[in-house]
Amino acid sequence: MLLVGASAAFFPTSEPLLAQATVHVSLEENFRREPQGQVLGRVNPGTPLRRVGVQGSWTQASLEGWIWTASLQTTEREGMDLVVVEEGGENLRDNPSGTILARLDRGTLLEELERVTGWTRVRRTGWIWSASVAAVTRASGSGPAVSRAAAAESPRAAPSEFLRAREGSAILSAPDGDTLATAASGDLEVLAREGSWVRVRMEGWVWSPRASEGRQDSEETASSPLTPDDLAAGDGPVHEGSRVTWTVQFISLERAEAVRTDFYEGEPFIL
């Protein structure tokens, strides 16, 4: 998805049922200045956010917490009060010296809410990928807040997220890594996200008969070599279930050119 225009072009959709709801982060995710914009920090799973609005596949949310005052400087930029100046960023916590909610990048602007010795409570509104957050409801009584999915699907803490794969999509060993397989049209379970990359899990069945199944016990069959020409001739069903060993010669490791349609450009393959 490509978004074009200045940051002023983004406005939250007016949806009263969604606005100002409490959400929690299901997966570690980037917290951005605007949809697909500058990363302000990285939010940890379980962190609560106050949802402000939505814009397509993005949620605008307010993040609050405590940060070490020595890592901040005052500023008047963009109507904010503070800026993170610590090299490498600084942790945002639920309480002074408490649980880490997020890691804010150096240069992130913040609104100051209050101060205690050594610590400042701050707030920042930004954008997060909607698939990485889930609504939170309050169970009856005074118990802790739980997600709708977790309450309905105990003991799982959060619902599984699935991605609809396009037929022929390449599944890589890592971002920009080697191709492990190509997907048929279907659902893949999402395990994690990293920028524009999604780590997925795919489950299915592979035909692998036991050695005793489909074997023909005659000496002729056991001793007859099976060649690629036999399969090309249409005799595959006759040998179904047989164990085959072929010897191949490695010539070179090549990189696919742009004209290849069975590889993406630059993908390595064995000749």
Side-chain angles (χ1 to χ4, degrees):
M1 177 176 63
L2 177 63
L3 301 177
V4 181
S7 60
F10 297 104
F11 298 94
T13 303
S14 178
E15 299 186 35
L17 294 179
L18 293 179
Q20 299 301 318
T22 299
V23 298
H24 77 273
V25 180
S26 304
L27 302 167
E28 184 180 351
E29 186 57 277
N30 290 325
F31 191 68
R32 299 178 180 270
R33 179 177 177 177
E34 58 193 32
Q36 288 192 331
Q38 175 190 351
V39 175
L40 302 175
R42 191 81 174 167
V43 187
N44 293 335
T47 296
L49 303 172
R50 176 65 62 178
R51 181 165 51 195
V52 178
V54 293
Q55 177 74 41
S57 298
W58 295 85
T59 293
Q60 188 181 35
S62 179
L63 172 65
E64 293 186 14
W66 293 84
I67 191 169
W68 185 240
T69 303
S71 298
L72 304 172
Q73 283 186 0
T74 58
T75 184
E76 296 181 356
R77 291 167 51 197
E78 301 180 21
M80 296 292 183
D81 306 307
L82 301 167
V83 59
V84 179
V85 294
E86 179 67 18
E87 186 72 29
E90 185 57 274
N91 292 325
L92 183 74
R93 301 174 182 268
D94 61 350
N95 287 294
S97 300
T99 302
I100 297 175
L101 302 176
R103 181 78 177 182
L104 300 181
D105 290 351
R106 184 181 186 183
T108 297
L109 300 174
L110 303 168
E111 176 188 356
E112 180 178 340
L113 300 178
E114 64 175 303
R115 291 198 184 202
V116 298
T117 303
W119 295 89
T120 302
R121 189 164 73 92
V122 297
R123 175 168 57 208
R124 178 61 199 244
T125 298
W127 295 83
I128 191 168
W129 185 244
S130 295
S132 297
V133 297
V136 174
T137 58
R138 179 71 62 177
S140 59
S142 57
V146 296
S147 71
R148 294 190 183 99
E153 198 177 339
S154 180
R156 297 185 67 175
S160 294
E161 179 189 356
F162 289 90
L163 178 70
R164 173 66 65 173
R166 292 177 297 177
E167 186 169 358
S169 298
I171 300 177
L172 310 183
S173 59
D176 296 320
D178 294 333
T179 300
L180 298 176
T182 55
S185 179
D187 291 335
L188 303 175
E189 185 178 3
V190 175
L191 301 179
R193 293 180 180 271
E194 182 178 332
S196 298
W197 292 94
V198 181
R199 185 181 179 189
V200 298
R201 176 163 55 203
M202 176 178 60
E203 294 185 358
W205 294 84
V206 176
W207 174 252
S208 181
R210 297 177 182 175
S212 60
E213 295 180 358
R215 293 184 59 183
Q216 300 184 30
D217 296 327
S218 67
E219 291 297 327
E220 179 181 358
T221 302
S223 60
S224 298
L226 179 62
T227 67
D229 291 338
D230 295 329
L231 297 180
D235 294 334
V238 175
H239 305 283
E240 185 175 350
S242 300
R243 177 174 297 179
V244 181
T245 300
W246 287 340
T247 300
V248 297
Q249 181 182 7
F250 176 89
I251 299 176
S252 63
L253 180 64
E254 304 288 341
R255 294 275 178 177
E257 298 178 352
V259 296
R260 295 291 297 262
T261 59
D262 49 345
F263 297 97
Y264 63 83
E265 185 176 0
E267 181 178 1
F269 67 94
I270 295 175
L271 184 64

